[in-house]
Amino acid sequence: MTNIKSSNLGYPRIGEKREWKRALESFWKGDLTEEELLEKTTEIRLDNLQKQKDLGIDLIPVGEFSLYDHILDVSASFGIIPKRYNYDGGEVDINTYYELVRGSDDAIASEMTKWFNTNYHYIVPELNEQKPALKINRALKYYNEAKEKLGINGKPVIVGPVTYVSLAKGYEETEFEKIVDEFTPLYVQILKELAEAGATWVQIDEPIFSSDVSEEVVAVAEKVYETIAREVPEIKVIFQTYFEKLFHYERLSQLPVAALGIDFVHGESLEVLQEHGFPEDKYLAAGVVDGRNVWRADLQEKSSLIATLRKFVKDDKLIIQPSSSLLHVPVTKKHETKIDPVILGGLSFADEKLAEINILTNKAKATDEKTNEAITNSTEALESLKKKYRSNESVAVEISKLTAEDAERDVHFKERLKLQKKSLDLPVLPTTTIGSLPQTKEVRQTRSKWRRNEITDREYETFVNNQISKWIKIQEDLDIDVLVHGEFERNDMVEYFGEKFNGFLVTEFGWVQSYGSRCVKPPLIFGDVDWTEPITVKESVYAQSLTDRHVKGMLTGPVTILNWSFVHDATPRTEIMKQIALALRKEIEALEEAGIQIIQVDEPALREGLPLDKAKWDAYLDAAAYAFRLATASVQAKTQIHTHMCYSNFEDIFPCIDALDADVISIETSRSHGELVSTFEENTYEKEIGLGVYDIHSPRVPAIEEIKENIDRALQTITPENFWVNPDCGLKTRNEQQTIDALKVMVEAAKSAREKITIKQ
Ligand code: GLN
Ligand code: ZN
């Protein structure tokens, strides 16, 4: 008997057709009772487990399912609930749970932020108000459920204490160890109860060690896992990392745990193993199938990787699994009806990936006919995909000819800004918005009707134009200086371009969770990207024709399009980024040609794509800045290029922001105002900038004093000549009245700030 096992790290919670999302939203609307919500989500959860069982997975994850977010679940189970939600200290009820993320009349919602280098957002724990205590043993609850209902002896999944505390806020760095110490006994208790209930394997997620944390943090982990090993020796702990190699390998590979979970798809884990070997007493839980991408794995290649790994582990102590939780890929490709069969044959979503894991495990255990056939099939499917992969010679030629100068504007920004001031003729502290205006129910419904062919292209176009003209008028009445057309024609800022560029493909059900009930459907890039005809010109030109004020052209940048797509690895990512940049460059030239003088190229995903391994930062940031400039550099000096970013910790990427050479940048700041302004104190930034002066994520209309204060604070570090006044992100999630009311206050605040300023000419 071999020890080799198959495993999964986590399964998507949203359901095959987003049933989960609909259940949550119906509950929030009051259309489902709490009981009905729990019934519906239990059904989804049990289905997910049954599927994994049927797919032959040995170690099935339990407890990673969530009613919103898995970090919020940890907070709730330890009672880490800020007092503003009137939390009484007991088990957290569902209403409190959702108030925390959606806000209530008297309490603002908790901050959310990106989960490592993904587009998933978790709720940031606030540790300053509560002492942790075990309110509910979630892992136990779901372990028991799987056992009782389905006869599955599951593998509970828990986010580990070191990662949890690292991701939280509300404490000083010096208190880190002390705080983790408060959690350790609670983890011990959870594990003891699991052991009593019969659990053997427990996956403790510690992805923080896929980044280069300090030696002190490593020491804290040593202490935690020594305590756990001493107190609960009967549990086999899998110390699970993902998204990069395991840093501090020499020390962490000696932790007293049963297994080390390591990603062999991202980062140089194999090299690490080759250099340092693998401890004889441990299992290696090897992530061999990409948990972050949608393409079929080359099973031949994966089999030889597994054969190599077997040389490092003793007695075949090997667990074969995806590189990370499958939370980051869609559920199944089986409902896709519109994709070319050859491309479909090359795809693999969560369920298909688990089937791959099963084949690989069987192959490693014993070679039988059926398994070999499955492996051959995978190779053949990938060969056909490769042939199909639309290879566009002319794009390759264009890319090969690119030089550094192609990505430089002809005129230095100091000169450009002078020319632009003259030709644009804007007041000091010009006001603008970030691009999208309310996507009302009517807008979304009309788009769906058009997609279902229930209305003609003509009717849809007229509808969009009416929205544009209504909002041009509103913006003029509000006296905003630089107007937007409102992005009414767009479903999503990346999918929209994915539908228009060559080389992209859009799925029907390829949804992944972004935050809470919000899911996104990343387009797939499966061939050379290029531009065939104008995409955004029609709407921008129409909007511009209605007003004497400037209307901004609005595009999504190359880095964001790349980061928010599923990219095939037949071409290096940096090359695809250049292809997208060239396609955008043509679009930008078309906008300029059509008379648009201000063009915004959004890059909200630039920061999130930053590699976890700092050694890779420079290469990424250089490529990102090059691609952005490649897209934007060919315009005339007097054409003003804007960019926009949000949800970011900008300190890390400040030099890159400067290297984008955009004339104006708008940044989301209302949630971290002080921090961002201090970034500008410490760094010189000489181009124009708009720090978001109010938070668009909340339905609340800001008070004028608040906005004035934000402007004043920013003007202490940024000269008024360079400052723009704008909300901190697009307005598509707000309703029309909230938007108008808030913008009114914003314009008023800008005007009053202008009065105080005398500009040196
Ligand atoms: N222009 C986009 C909008 O306003 C930007 C969105 C974003 O930053 N995520 O919606
Ligand atoms: Zn934004």
Side-chain angles (χ1 to χ4, degrees), residues 644-646 728-730:
H644 164 74
M645 294 182 193
C646 43
D728 68 1
C729 196

